[in-house]
């Protein structure tokens, strides 16, 4: 998955993103950011304006993204998930 959106989310920033599959898998629509159809500049402008006009929504989306990224996408969280997979694979 792309790293830049993850970094933006970790920085408590809402993300405006195109509807490409890799981005849709990374960012939660309407919770952590807003999407637009790739190549649709009008919808991009609407998404940006929507967030520019609503500081509370920006803050809520930014916080939601940061909380999820810090819970799921840190090295510590990755280590916990990886260890769990290896524990399930162990043969007793």
């Amino acid at each position: 998955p792309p790293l830049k959106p993850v970094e933006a989310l970790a920085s408590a920033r809402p993300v405006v993103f195109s509807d490409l599959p890799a981005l849709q898998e990374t960012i939660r629509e309407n919770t952590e950011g807003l999407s637009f159809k790739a190549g649709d500049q009008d919808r991009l402008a609407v998404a940006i304006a929507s967030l520019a006009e609503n500081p509370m929504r920006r803050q809520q989306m930014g916080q939601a993204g940061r909380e999820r990224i810090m819970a799921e996408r840190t090295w510590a969280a990755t280590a916990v998930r990886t260890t769990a997979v290896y524990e399930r694979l162990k043969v007793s």
Side-chain angles (χ1 to χ4, degrees), residues 17-37:
F17 61 102
S18 63
D19 61 353
L20 300 174
L23 294 172
Q24 290 177 321
E25 292 173 9
T26 303
I27 307 156
R28 293 182 178 160
E29 170 73 17
N30 292 319
T31 301
E32 301 168 349
L34 299 174
S35 71
F36 62 96
K37 183 166 178 52

Side-chain angles (χ1 to χ4, degrees), residues 16-80:
V16 176
F17 61 102
S18 63
D19 61 353
L20 300 174
L23 294 172
Q24 290 177 321
E25 292 173 9
T26 303
I27 307 156
R28 293 182 178 160
E29 170 73 17
N30 292 319
T31 301
E32 301 168 349
L34 299 174
S35 71
F36 62 96
K37 183 166 178 52
D40 187 340
Q41 295 141 349
D42 293 334
R43 296 304 305 165
L44 169 60
V46 166
I48 291 170
S50 170
L51 289 175
E53 295 168 356
N54 194 333
M56 179 65 77
R57 188 170 190 205
R58 286 195 313 268
Q59 191 276 331
Q60 290 170 338
M61 286 182 158
Q63 187 61 35
R66 178 167 175 76
E67 287 174 5
R68 184 176 63 85
I69 293 303
M70 298 309 290
E72 298 176 6
R73 299 293 293 267
T74 64
W75 285 112
T78 300
V80 168

